[in-house]
Amino acid sequence: MTGGGMLIQIAHLYATACLAVVFFQFALIGGAPLGPWTQGGQHEGALPISGRVIAAFSVPVLIFQGLAILSVAGFPGLDWPRWCGWAALGVSTVSAVLNGITPSARERAVWFPVTLVMAGLAAYVMISTAR
């Protein structure tokens, strides 16, 4: 596989991971009893309305992140400014750090590795496309 092909595949993997997290957020918004696995693990069962609002806010952010990294990788039809990819990488990195220091052991066990890999994928795309 050429470097460009691998780059596109890594960007697709990142965008797919963003989409998977979007579906998790939809489950939270819908009242799934996943409180211990998110937002610091402060809630057993479903999140309260305030937590669901935070989950709803995450959805467009995650979609932006996925599209931004796809754009940087040269996905046809997307021609976003490069800073959008850096913003996506920044959000991914902050997310990994926050998931690494959360007081919730369950959240840390699941989301820290996921978000760390996502940040690594975004970093690969950004570094590989540096001019």
Side-chain angles (χ1 to χ4, degrees), residues 11-70:
H12 283 165
L13 184 56
Y14 178 82
T16 301
C18 288
L19 188 58
V21 180
V22 164
F23 285 117
F24 178 76
Q25 300 303 322
F26 283 150
L28 295 172
I29 294 163
L34 299 170
W37 302 93
T38 189
Q39 298 180 16
Q42 300 173 34
H43 306 284
E44 286 299 321
L47 294 176
I49 294 299
S50 61
R52 293 178 193 197
V53 168
I54 292 168
F57 175 76
S58 298
V59 170
V61 172
L62 285 156
I63 292 169
F64 165 86
Q65 289 175 247
L67 290 173
I69 293 299
L70 286 173

Side-chain angles (χ1 to χ4, degrees), residues 74-85:
F75 190 81
L78 293 175
D79 190 24
W80 293 17
R82 186 165 173 77
W83 67 262
C84 294

Side-chain angles (χ1 to χ4, degrees), residues 2-15 64-86 88 121-131:
T2 66
M6 186 170 176
L7 177 70
I8 293 294
Q9 291 217 341
I10 288 174
H12 283 165
L13 184 56
Y14 178 82
F64 165 86
Q65 289 175 247
L67 290 173
I69 293 299
L70 286 173
S71 178
V72 169
F75 190 81
L78 293 175
D79 190 24
W80 293 17
R82 186 165 173 77
W83 67 262
C84 294
W86 288 114
L121 294 170
Y124 178 89
V125 171
M126 296 308 298
I127 292 167
S128 295
T129 58
R131 296 179 174 94

Side-chain angles (χ1 to χ4, degrees), residues 84-130:
C84 294
W86 288 114
L89 172 57
V91 171
S92 289
T93 302
V94 168
S95 180
V97 168
L98 292 176
N99 280 293
I101 64 172
T102 179
S104 168
R106 287 183 272 189
E107 184 179 8
R108 204 169 41 250
V110 172
W111 291 111
F112 177 60
V114 169
T115 55
L116 188 61
V117 167
M118 288 176 70
L121 294 170
Y124 178 89
V125 171
M126 296 308 298
I127 292 167
S128 295
T129 58

